[in-house]
Amino acid sequence: MTTAPDLTAVTAGSADDTAAEQAAFDALIDAEQRIEPRDWMPEGYRKTLIRQISQHAHSEIIGMQPEGTWITRAPSLKRKAILLAKVQDEAGHGLYLYSAAQTLGITRDEMTQQLIDGRAKYSSIFNYPTPTWADMGAIGWLVDGAAICNQVPLCRASYGPYGRAMVRICKEESFHQRQGFEILLTLMQGTAAQRAMAQDSVDRWYWPSLMMFGPPDESSPNSAQSMAWKIKRFSNDELRQRFIGMLVPQAEILGVTLPDPELRWDEAAQRWHTSEIDWTEFHEVLAGRGPMNAARLQHRRAAHEDGAWVREAAVAYARRQAEKTERAVA
Ligand code: BYC
């Protein structure tokens, strides 16, 4: 339904022109200025942004599913209203991000097709199940907490539409994180069974939330270039460390235990010492073999097919409106 902007005018040119354009692009990046959709940009920069922003958009859209199943089962009207608002925010984030990616010359239809065909990646974290209400707390606290650590620096991403979209998204994520923390706090102040449910949920979500930051720096093929282009501002491991530092005091307030017996602050190395993350599990999930990969994609595909009549009706309506305008002008 959407058409890609014609970018040939800003990408074509002689070798001299290209060198001058590259120099102008480099100067903008060096000066911490923003690159805007109509500015010249290297093809690799465009592709990297389309890859990252579309994966991020898909994550928000698929990320509605694990929580969406709890909307009808939330334990009170107030909890239901809050969860409904959070899931709606995630749909909104997906839409801002798809719009930001569209400014780079890919259509919404292409991105959707890549997702439902299983060709696109989305965050590994959304391939885990949500069997208990406490999972709504753990997702808010850990998953949105990790998202904030990862995404606050993205507000300064060099590509204007991405950085600006992230500002609003981060404000909303911070509300999401607090609501998750508050769900866990309430459970931890409840009965023994509620405390056990909260701890079990933290045990299941802790390691996958650390995987959200991506592979270790030495096995992250995209980091160096993305940091040079100032899309990413910190490495995967730097952000993971920052996240652990944020969790430790909060876990103490909650009264939950982070499920890593080796976790401690290493004063000499000035970093958190942790057990080894299970990278085999991470790669299995990325390869589509996580506990919920197939169900998530199947659900998204079915929703897309069920919505076909809405898209067709919108196109037919737009056509009729255009014909009406044409007749009025004639
Ligand atoms: N899951 O070279 P690397 C949310 C892929 S939604 C899956 O380090 P990069 C929320 C990576 O794509 C939050 N794939 O890559 C929503 C790459 O593969 P390709 C989602 C992963 O891009 C609803 C390969 O591994 N957040 O908060 O430099 C409810 C090598 O990695 C993952 C974002 O999308 C992963 N965890 O760095 C609640 C943030 N990690 O593309 C909450 C924006 C890595 O080369 N994205 N891969 O085939 C980023 O900041 C970066 O893309 C990453 C990875 C840090 C994730």
Side-chain angles (χ1 to χ4, degrees), residues 47-81:
K47 284 197 179 126
T48 295
L49 282 165
I50 290 178
R51 177 183 66 78
Q52 179 165 327
I53 302 174
S54 63
Q55 285 176 3
H56 194 163
H58 299 325
S59 304
E60 297 283 356
I61 297 303
I62 297 283
M64 294 165 73
Q65 292 185 36
E67 292 168 294
T69 63
W70 276 96
I71 291 172
T72 53
R73 295 179 287 164
S76 70
L77 184 59
K78 187 176 140 202
R79 294 286 186 202
K80 192 193 290 277

PDB file of all heavy atoms in Angstrom, residues 47-81:
ATOM      1  N   LYS A  47      21.687   0.411   4.613  1.00  0.00           N
ATOM      2  CA  LYS A  47      21.308  -1.004   4.825  1.00  0.00           C
ATOM      3  C   LYS A  47      21.349  -1.378   6.301  1.00  0.00           C
ATOM      4  O   LYS A  47      20.485  -2.094   6.805  1.00  0.00           O
ATOM      5  CB  LYS A  47      22.250  -1.932   4.045  1.00  0.00           C
ATOM      6  CG  LYS A  47      21.934  -1.953   2.565  1.00  0.00           C
ATOM      7  CD  LYS A  47      22.590  -3.163   1.898  1.00  0.00           C
ATOM      8  CE  LYS A  47      22.268  -3.205   0.411  1.00  0.00           C
ATOM      9  NZ  LYS A  47      23.441  -3.281  -0.447  1.00  0.00           N
ATOM     10  N   THR A  48      22.381  -0.890   6.990  1.00  0.00           N
ATOM     11  CA  THR A  48      22.495  -1.199   8.430  1.00  0.00           C
ATOM     12  C   THR A  48      21.301  -0.636   9.187  1.00  0.00           C
ATOM     13  O   THR A  48      20.724  -1.295  10.059  1.00  0.00           O
ATOM     14  CB  THR A  48      23.805  -0.605   8.997  1.00  0.00           C
ATOM     15  OG1 THR A  48      24.884  -1.273   8.361  1.00  0.00           O
ATOM     16  CG2 THR A  48      23.917  -0.789  10.491  1.00  0.00           C
ATOM     17  N   LEU A  49      20.931   0.583   8.825  1.00  0.00           N
ATOM     18  CA  LEU A  49      19.788   1.201   9.521  1.00  0.00           C
ATOM     19  C   LEU A  49      18.490   0.463   9.212  1.00  0.00           C
ATOM     20  O   LEU A  49      17.687   0.213  10.111  1.00  0.00           O
ATOM     21  CB  LEU A  49      19.663   2.673   9.118  1.00  0.00           C
ATOM     22  CG  LEU A  49      20.651   3.604   9.810  1.00  0.00           C
ATOM     23  CD1 LEU A  49      20.700   4.937   9.082  1.00  0.00           C
ATOM     24  CD2 LEU A  49      20.282   3.819  11.278  1.00  0.00           C
ATOM     25  N   ILE A  50      18.304   0.102   7.946  1.00  0.00           N
ATOM     26  CA  ILE A  50      17.071  -0.634   7.600  1.00  0.00           C
ATOM     27  C   ILE A  50      17.040  -1.936   8.397  1.00  0.00           C
ATOM     28  O   ILE A  50      16.021  -2.319   8.967  1.00  0.00           O
ATOM     29  CB  ILE A  50      16.976  -0.890   6.078  1.00  0.00           C
ATOM     30  CG1 ILE A  50      16.710   0.419   5.336  1.00  0.00           C
ATOM     31  CG2 ILE A  50      15.880  -1.925   5.755  1.00  0.00           C
ATOM     32  CD1 ILE A  50      16.648   0.302   3.816  1.00  0.00           C
ATOM     33  N   ARG A  51      18.186  -2.609   8.466  1.00  0.00           N
ATOM     34  CA  ARG A  51      18.257  -3.881   9.206  1.00  0.00           C
ATOM     35  C   ARG A  51      17.911  -3.662  10.678  1.00  0.00           C
ATOM     36  O   ARG A  51      17.007  -4.300  11.221  1.00  0.00           O
ATOM     37  CB  ARG A  51      19.683  -4.459   9.076  1.00  0.00           C
ATOM     38  CG  ARG A  51      19.931  -5.733   9.849  1.00  0.00           C
ATOM     39  CD  ARG A  51      21.383  -6.209   9.725  1.00  0.00           C
ATOM     40  NE  ARG A  51      22.352  -5.307  10.332  1.00  0.00           N
ATOM     41  CZ  ARG A  51      22.589  -5.228  11.644  1.00  0.00           C
ATOM     42  NH1 ARG A  51      21.936  -5.980  12.493  1.00  0.00           N
ATOM     43  NH2 ARG A  51      23.487  -4.380  12.115  1.00  0.00           N
ATOM     44  N   GLN A  52      18.595  -2.714  11.307  1.00  0.00           N
ATOM     45  CA  GLN A  52      18.391  -2.544  12.752  1.00  0.00           C
ATOM     46  C   GLN A  52      17.001  -1.988  13.077  1.00  0.00           C
ATOM     47  O   GLN A  52      16.332  -2.467  13.986  1.00  0.00           O
ATOM     48  CB  GLN A  52      19.490  -1.637  13.343  1.00  0.00           C
ATOM     49  CG  GLN A  52      19.277  -1.429  14.835  1.00  0.00           C
ATOM     50  CD  GLN A  52      20.479  -0.857  15.547  1.00  0.00           C
ATOM     51  OE1 GLN A  52      21.632  -1.131  15.194  1.00  0.00           O
ATOM     52  NE2 GLN A  52      20.232  -0.055  16.571  1.00  0.00           N
ATOM     53  N   ILE A  53      16.578  -0.972  12.323  1.00  0.00           N
ATOM     54  CA  ILE A  53      15.283  -0.344  12.668  1.00  0.00           C
ATOM     55  C   ILE A  53      14.137  -1.308  12.382  1.00  0.00           C
ATOM     56  O   ILE A  53      13.181  -1.399  13.155  1.00  0.00           O
ATOM     57  CB  ILE A  53      15.090   0.999  11.916  1.00  0.00           C
ATOM     58  CG1 ILE A  53      16.235   1.973  12.230  1.00  0.00           C
ATOM     59  CG2 ILE A  53      13.742   1.623  12.278  1.00  0.00           C
ATOM     60  CD1 ILE A  53      16.217   3.263  11.419  1.00  0.00           C
ATOM     61  N   SER A  54      14.221  -2.051  11.260  1.00  0.00           N
ATOM     62  CA  SER A  54      13.108  -2.969  10.973  1.00  0.00           C
ATOM     63  C   SER A  54      13.086  -4.109  11.989  1.00  0.00           C
ATOM     64  O   SER A  54      12.017  -4.500  12.459  1.00  0.00           O
ATOM     65  CB  SER A  54      13.166  -3.490   9.531  1.00  0.00           C
ATOM     66  OG  SER A  54      14.340  -4.244   9.337  1.00  0.00           O
ATOM     67  N   GLN A  55      14.267  -4.612  12.390  1.00  0.00           N
ATOM     68  CA  GLN A  55      14.287  -5.660  13.430  1.00  0.00           C
ATOM     69  C   GLN A  55      13.698  -5.128  14.729  1.00  0.00           C
ATOM     70  O   GLN A  55      12.978  -5.824  15.444  1.00  0.00           O
ATOM     71  CB  GLN A  55      15.731  -6.113  13.709  1.00  0.00           C
ATOM     72  CG  GLN A  55      16.313  -6.996  12.621  1.00  0.00           C
ATOM     73  CD  GLN A  55      17.791  -7.348  12.874  1.00  0.00           C
ATOM     74  OE1 GLN A  55      18.375  -6.973  13.890  1.00  0.00           O
ATOM     75  NE2 GLN A  55      18.396  -8.061  11.937  1.00  0.00           N
ATOM     76  N   HIS A  56      14.016  -3.878  15.002  1.00  0.00           N
ATOM     77  CA  HIS A  56      13.506  -3.260  16.231  1.00  0.00           C
ATOM     78  C   HIS A  56      11.968  -3.125  16.151  1.00  0.00           C
ATOM     79  O   HIS A  56      11.253  -3.458  17.098  1.00  0.00           O
ATOM     80  CB  HIS A  56      14.183  -1.893  16.382  1.00  0.00           C
ATOM     81  CG  HIS A  56      14.032  -1.270  17.720  1.00  0.00           C
ATOM     82  ND1 HIS A  56      14.830  -0.242  18.147  1.00  0.00           N
ATOM     83  CD2 HIS A  56      13.153  -1.513  18.717  1.00  0.00           C
ATOM     84  CE1 HIS A  56      14.458   0.111  19.371  1.00  0.00           C
ATOM     85  NE2 HIS A  56      13.441  -0.640  19.742  1.00  0.00           N
ATOM     86  N   ALA A  57      11.479  -2.693  14.981  1.00  0.00           N
ATOM     87  CA  ALA A  57      10.015  -2.561  14.798  1.00  0.00           C
ATOM     88  C   ALA A  57       9.337  -3.922  14.945  1.00  0.00           C
ATOM     89  O   ALA A  57       8.336  -4.062  15.666  1.00  0.00           O
ATOM     90  CB  ALA A  57       9.721  -1.965  13.417  1.00  0.00           C
ATOM     91  N   HIS A  58       9.908  -4.945  14.296  1.00  0.00           N
ATOM     92  CA  HIS A  58       9.320  -6.289  14.400  1.00  0.00           C
ATOM     93  C   HIS A  58       9.302  -6.753  15.865  1.00  0.00           C
ATOM     94  O   HIS A  58       8.346  -7.406  16.297  1.00  0.00           O
ATOM     95  CB  HIS A  58      10.140  -7.313  13.601  1.00  0.00           C
ATOM     96  CG  HIS A  58      10.224  -7.051  12.120  1.00  0.00           C
ATOM     97  ND1 HIS A  58       9.193  -6.503  11.395  1.00  0.00           N
ATOM     98  CD2 HIS A  58      11.219  -7.292  11.217  1.00  0.00           C
ATOM     99  CE1 HIS A  58       9.558  -6.412  10.111  1.00  0.00           C
ATOM    100  NE2 HIS A  58      10.771  -6.876   9.986  1.00  0.00           N
ATOM    101  N   SER A  59      10.353  -6.403  16.609  1.00  0.00           N
ATOM    102  CA  SER A  59      10.422  -6.821  18.012  1.00  0.00           C
ATOM    103  C   SER A  59       9.259  -6.226  18.806  1.00  0.00           C
ATOM    104  O   SER A  59       8.668  -6.880  19.661  1.00  0.00           O
ATOM    105  CB  SER A  59      11.737  -6.374  18.659  1.00  0.00           C
ATOM    106  OG  SER A  59      12.829  -6.851  17.933  1.00  0.00           O
ATOM    107  N   GLU A  60       8.966  -4.975  18.523  1.00  0.00           N
ATOM    108  CA  GLU A  60       7.852  -4.331  19.239  1.00  0.00           C
ATOM    109  C   GLU A  60       6.527  -5.019  18.894  1.00  0.00           C
ATOM    110  O   GLU A  60       5.691  -5.249  19.767  1.00  0.00           O
ATOM    111  CB  GLU A  60       7.756  -2.845  18.865  1.00  0.00           C
ATOM    112  CG  GLU A  60       8.984  -2.019  19.258  1.00  0.00           C
ATOM    113  CD  GLU A  60       9.048  -1.668  20.743  1.00  0.00           C
ATOM    114  OE1 GLU A  60       8.101  -1.995  21.479  1.00  0.00           O
ATOM    115  OE2 GLU A  60      10.053  -1.056  21.160  1.00  0.00           O
ATOM    116  N   ILE A  61       6.364  -5.357  17.625  1.00  0.00           N
ATOM    117  CA  ILE A  61       5.089  -5.946  17.183  1.00  0.00           C
ATOM    118  C   ILE A  61       4.956  -7.390  17.701  1.00  0.00           C
ATOM    119  O   ILE A  61       3.926  -7.761  18.269  1.00  0.00           O
ATOM    120  CB  ILE A  61       4.975  -5.878  15.634  1.00  0.00           C
ATOM    121  CG1 ILE A  61       4.954  -4.401  15.172  1.00  0.00           C
ATOM    122  CG2 ILE A  61       3.750  -6.632  15.119  1.00  0.00           C
ATOM    123  CD1 ILE A  61       3.846  -3.542  15.762  1.00  0.00           C
ATOM    124  N   ILE A  62       6.014  -8.188  17.542  1.00  0.00           N
ATOM    125  CA  ILE A  62       5.958  -9.565  18.080  1.00  0.00           C
ATOM    126  C   ILE A  62       5.912  -9.498  19.607  1.00  0.00           C
ATOM    127  O   ILE A  62       5.258 -10.319  20.263  1.00  0.00           O
ATOM    128  CB  ILE A  62       7.180 -10.399  17.607  1.00  0.00           C
ATOM    129  CG1 ILE A  62       7.161 -10.551  16.083  1.00  0.00           C
ATOM    130  CG2 ILE A  62       7.225 -11.751  18.314  1.00  0.00           C
ATOM    131  CD1 ILE A  62       6.188 -11.561  15.522  1.00  0.00           C
ATOM    132  N   GLY A  63       6.570  -8.481  20.169  1.00  0.00           N
ATOM    133  CA  GLY A  63       6.619  -8.333  21.632  1.00  0.00           C
ATOM    134  C   GLY A  63       5.259  -8.080  22.261  1.00  0.00           C
ATOM    135  O   GLY A  63       5.104  -8.182  23.485  1.00  0.00           O
ATOM    136  N   MET A  64       4.259  -7.764  21.454  1.00  0.00           N
ATOM    137  CA  MET A  64       2.909  -7.588  22.012  1.00  0.00           C
ATOM    138  C   MET A  64       2.297  -8.939  22.407  1.00  0.00           C
ATOM    139  O   MET A  64       1.393  -9.002  23.232  1.00  0.00           O
ATOM    140  CB  MET A  64       1.994  -6.923  20.970  1.00  0.00           C
ATOM    141  CG  MET A  64       2.391  -5.502  20.628  1.00  0.00           C
ATOM    142  SD  MET A  64       1.579  -4.953  19.115  1.00  0.00           S
ATOM    143  CE  MET A  64      -0.092  -4.736  19.691  1.00  0.00           C
ATOM    144  N   GLN A  65       2.780 -10.018  21.795  1.00  0.00           N
ATOM    145  CA  GLN A  65       2.122 -11.321  22.003  1.00  0.00           C
ATOM    146  C   GLN A  65       2.296 -11.916  23.403  1.00  0.00           C
ATOM    147  O   GLN A  65       1.294 -12.340  24.002  1.00  0.00           O
ATOM    148  CB  GLN A  65       2.598 -12.324  20.951  1.00  0.00           C
ATOM    149  CG  GLN A  65       2.134 -11.995  19.550  1.00  0.00           C
ATOM    150  CD  GLN A  65       2.546 -13.099  18.574  1.00  0.00           C
ATOM    151  OE1 GLN A  65       2.558 -14.283  18.912  1.00  0.00           O
ATOM    152  NE2 GLN A  65       2.887 -12.717  17.361  1.00  0.00           N
ATOM    153  N   PRO A  66       3.535 -11.976  23.940  1.00  0.00           N
ATOM    154  CA  PRO A  66       3.671 -12.628  25.255  1.00  0.00           C
ATOM    155  C   PRO A  66       2.836 -11.950  26.336  1.00  0.00           C
ATOM    156  O   PRO A  66       2.322 -12.610  27.235  1.00  0.00           O
ATOM    157  CB  PRO A  66       5.166 -12.497  25.568  1.00  0.00           C
ATOM    158  CG  PRO A  66       5.843 -12.076  24.314  1.00  0.00           C
ATOM    159  CD  PRO A  66       4.824 -11.551  23.379  1.00  0.00           C
ATOM    160  N   GLU A  67       2.683 -10.620  26.241  1.00  0.00           N
ATOM    161  CA  GLU A  67       1.877  -9.911  27.239  1.00  0.00           C
ATOM    162  C   GLU A  67       0.406  -9.888  26.855  1.00  0.00           C
ATOM    163  O   GLU A  67      -0.478  -9.891  27.722  1.00  0.00           O
ATOM    164  CB  GLU A  67       2.392  -8.482  27.401  1.00  0.00           C
ATOM    165  CG  GLU A  67       3.757  -8.443  28.040  1.00  0.00           C
ATOM    166  CD  GLU A  67       4.377  -7.062  27.926  1.00  0.00           C
ATOM    167  OE1 GLU A  67       4.678  -6.628  26.793  1.00  0.00           O
ATOM    168  OE2 GLU A  67       4.541  -6.418  28.965  1.00  0.00           O
ATOM    169  N   GLY A  68       0.158  -9.859  25.547  1.00  0.00           N
ATOM    170  CA  GLY A  68      -1.232  -9.774  25.065  1.00  0.00           C
ATOM    171  C   GLY A  68      -2.092 -10.909  25.621  1.00  0.00           C
ATOM    172  O   GLY A  68      -3.274 -10.711  25.919  1.00  0.00           O
ATOM    173  N   THR A  69      -1.486 -12.083  25.796  1.00  0.00           N
ATOM    174  CA  THR A  69      -2.281 -13.225  26.277  1.00  0.00           C
ATOM    175  C   THR A  69      -2.762 -13.024  27.709  1.00  0.00           C
ATOM    176  O   THR A  69      -3.624 -13.767  28.174  1.00  0.00           O
ATOM    177  CB  THR A  69      -1.472 -14.547  26.242  1.00  0.00           C
ATOM    178  OG1 THR A  69      -0.382 -14.400  27.133  1.00  0.00           O
ATOM    179  CG2 THR A  69      -0.966 -14.871  24.863  1.00  0.00           C
ATOM    180  N   TRP A  70      -2.180 -12.048  28.425  1.00  0.00           N
ATOM    181  CA  TRP A  70      -2.577 -11.830  29.815  1.00  0.00           C
ATOM    182  C   TRP A  70      -3.602 -10.709  29.985  1.00  0.00           C
ATOM    183  O   TRP A  70      -4.075 -10.475  31.107  1.00  0.00           O
ATOM    184  CB  TRP A  70      -1.338 -11.583  30.703  1.00  0.00           C
ATOM    185  CG  TRP A  70      -0.739 -12.891  31.129  1.00  0.00           C
ATOM    186  CD1 TRP A  70       0.295 -13.558  30.541  1.00  0.00           C
ATOM    187  CD2 TRP A  70      -1.189 -13.735  32.192  1.00  0.00           C
ATOM    188  NE1 TRP A  70       0.522 -14.763  31.175  1.00  0.00           N
ATOM    189  CE2 TRP A  70      -0.382 -14.887  32.202  1.00  0.00           C
ATOM    190  CE3 TRP A  70      -2.214 -13.633  33.150  1.00  0.00           C
ATOM    191  CZ2 TRP A  70      -0.551 -15.921  33.126  1.00  0.00           C
ATOM    192  CZ3 TRP A  70      -2.373 -14.662  34.068  1.00  0.00           C
ATOM    193  CH2 TRP A  70      -1.554 -15.785  34.044  1.00  0.00           C
ATOM    194  N   ILE A  71      -3.951 -10.040  28.901  1.00  0.00           N
ATOM    195  CA  ILE A  71      -4.881  -8.901  29.061  1.00  0.00           C
ATOM    196  C   ILE A  71      -6.215  -9.374  29.639  1.00  0.00           C
ATOM    197  O   ILE A  71      -6.751  -8.772  30.567  1.00  0.00           O
ATOM    198  CB  ILE A  71      -5.064  -8.137  27.724  1.00  0.00           C
ATOM    199  CG1 ILE A  71      -3.758  -7.417  27.359  1.00  0.00           C
ATOM    200  CG2 ILE A  71      -6.213  -7.127  27.820  1.00  0.00           C
ATOM    201  CD1 ILE A  71      -3.738  -6.786  25.985  1.00  0.00           C
ATOM    202  N   THR A  72      -6.727 -10.485  29.143  1.00  0.00           N
ATOM    203  CA  THR A  72      -8.029 -10.953  29.646  1.00  0.00           C
ATOM    204  C   THR A  72      -7.907 -11.645  31.007  1.00  0.00           C
ATOM    205  O   THR A  72      -8.909 -11.917  31.651  1.00  0.00           O
ATOM    206  CB  THR A  72      -8.651 -11.959  28.650  1.00  0.00           C
ATOM    207  OG1 THR A  72      -7.679 -12.986  28.404  1.00  0.00           O
ATOM    208  CG2 THR A  72      -9.055 -11.284  27.356  1.00  0.00           C
ATOM    209  N   ARG A  73      -6.673 -11.945  31.417  1.00  0.00           N
ATOM    210  CA  ARG A  73      -6.512 -12.710  32.664  1.00  0.00           C
ATOM    211  C   ARG A  73      -5.859 -11.896  33.779  1.00  0.00           C
ATOM    212  O   ARG A  73      -5.530 -12.426  34.838  1.00  0.00           O
ATOM    213  CB  ARG A  73      -5.661 -13.953  32.394  1.00  0.00           C
ATOM    214  CG  ARG A  73      -6.333 -14.940  31.464  1.00  0.00           C
ATOM    215  CD  ARG A  73      -5.445 -16.133  31.200  1.00  0.00           C
ATOM    216  NE  ARG A  73      -4.320 -15.794  30.325  1.00  0.00           N
ATOM    217  CZ  ARG A  73      -3.244 -16.545  30.182  1.00  0.00           C
ATOM    218  NH1 ARG A  73      -3.132 -17.662  30.864  1.00  0.00           N
ATOM    219  NH2 ARG A  73      -2.277 -16.194  29.360  1.00  0.00           N
ATOM    220  N   ALA A  74      -5.642 -10.585  33.527  1.00  0.00           N
ATOM    221  CA  ALA A  74      -5.007  -9.746  34.561  1.00  0.00           C
ATOM    222  C   ALA A  74      -5.872  -9.808  35.828  1.00  0.00           C
ATOM    223  O   ALA A  74      -7.098  -9.898  35.744  1.00  0.00           O
ATOM    224  CB  ALA A  74      -4.885  -8.318  34.037  1.00  0.00           C
ATOM    225  N   PRO A  75      -5.211  -9.753  37.005  1.00  0.00           N
ATOM    226  CA  PRO A  75      -5.962 -10.026  38.242  1.00  0.00           C
ATOM    227  C   PRO A  75      -6.932  -8.933  38.697  1.00  0.00           C
ATOM    228  O   PRO A  75      -7.703  -9.160  39.638  1.00  0.00           O
ATOM    229  CB  PRO A  75      -4.845 -10.239  39.278  1.00  0.00           C
ATOM    230  CG  PRO A  75      -3.635  -9.602  38.708  1.00  0.00           C
ATOM    231  CD  PRO A  75      -3.763  -9.669  37.231  1.00  0.00           C
ATOM    232  N   SER A  76      -6.932  -7.746  38.093  1.00  0.00           N
ATOM    233  CA  SER A  76      -7.918  -6.727  38.476  1.00  0.00           C
ATOM    234  C   SER A  76      -8.158  -5.817  37.280  1.00  0.00           C
ATOM    235  O   SER A  76      -7.388  -5.815  36.315  1.00  0.00           O
ATOM    236  CB  SER A  76      -7.409  -5.893  39.661  1.00  0.00           C
ATOM    237  OG  SER A  76      -6.339  -5.077  39.218  1.00  0.00           O
ATOM    238  N   LEU A  77      -9.219  -4.999  37.384  1.00  0.00           N
ATOM    239  CA  LEU A  77      -9.539  -4.074  36.291  1.00  0.00           C
ATOM    240  C   LEU A  77      -8.389  -3.084  36.083  1.00  0.00           C
ATOM    241  O   LEU A  77      -8.018  -2.762  34.952  1.00  0.00           O
ATOM    242  CB  LEU A  77     -10.848  -3.335  36.626  1.00  0.00           C
ATOM    243  CG  LEU A  77     -11.378  -2.409  35.546  1.00  0.00           C
ATOM    244  CD1 LEU A  77     -11.653  -3.171  34.248  1.00  0.00           C
ATOM    245  CD2 LEU A  77     -12.654  -1.724  36.045  1.00  0.00           C
ATOM    246  N   LYS A  78      -7.816  -2.634  37.222  1.00  0.00           N
ATOM    247  CA  LYS A  78      -6.716  -1.671  37.138  1.00  0.00           C
ATOM    248  C   LYS A  78      -5.507  -2.298  36.417  1.00  0.00           C
ATOM    249  O   LYS A  78      -4.920  -1.693  35.517  1.00  0.00           O
ATOM    250  CB  LYS A  78      -6.325  -1.247  38.563  1.00  0.00           C
ATOM    251  CG  LYS A  78      -5.324  -0.130  38.609  1.00  0.00           C
ATOM    252  CD  LYS A  78      -5.065   0.284  40.048  1.00  0.00           C
ATOM    253  CE  LYS A  78      -3.594   0.571  40.245  1.00  0.00           C
ATOM    254  NZ  LYS A  78      -3.161   0.469  41.613  1.00  0.00           N
ATOM    255  N   ARG A  79      -5.156  -3.530  36.784  1.00  0.00           N
ATOM    256  CA  ARG A  79      -4.025  -4.210  36.134  1.00  0.00           C
ATOM    257  C   ARG A  79      -4.316  -4.414  34.646  1.00  0.00           C
ATOM    258  O   ARG A  79      -3.437  -4.317  33.806  1.00  0.00           O
ATOM    259  CB  ARG A  79      -3.773  -5.576  36.776  1.00  0.00           C
ATOM    260  CG  ARG A  79      -3.304  -5.518  38.215  1.00  0.00           C
ATOM    261  CD  ARG A  79      -1.856  -5.056  38.287  1.00  0.00           C
ATOM    262  NE  ARG A  79      -1.348  -5.126  39.648  1.00  0.00           N
ATOM    263  CZ  ARG A  79      -0.322  -4.419  40.078  1.00  0.00           C
ATOM    264  NH1 ARG A  79       0.303  -3.582  39.272  1.00  0.00           N
ATOM    265  NH2 ARG A  79       0.099  -4.543  41.314  1.00  0.00           N
ATOM    266  N   LYS A  80      -5.588  -4.718  34.348  1.00  0.00           N
ATOM    267  CA  LYS A  80      -5.962  -4.952  32.944  1.00  0.00           C
ATOM    268  C   LYS A  80      -5.779  -3.660  32.126  1.00  0.00           C
ATOM    269  O   LYS A  80      -5.203  -3.678  31.033  1.00  0.00           O
ATOM    270  CB  LYS A  80      -7.429  -5.402  32.894  1.00  0.00           C
ATOM    271  CG  LYS A  80      -7.867  -5.956  31.535  1.00  0.00           C
ATOM    272  CD  LYS A  80      -9.373  -6.086  31.442  1.00  0.00           C
ATOM    273  CE  LYS A  80      -9.966  -7.171  32.296  1.00  0.00           C
ATOM    274  NZ  LYS A  80      -9.898  -8.496  31.671  1.00  0.00           N
ATOM    275  N   ALA A  81      -6.242  -2.540  32.703  1.00  0.00           N
ATOM    276  CA  ALA A  81      -6.140  -1.257  31.980  1.00  0.00           C
ATOM    277  C   ALA A  81      -4.672  -0.887  31.741  1.00  0.00           C
ATOM    278  O   ALA A  81      -4.297  -0.415  30.661  1.00  0.00           O
ATOM    279  CB  ALA A  81      -6.848  -0.157  32.782  1.00  0.00           C
TER     280      ALA A  81
END
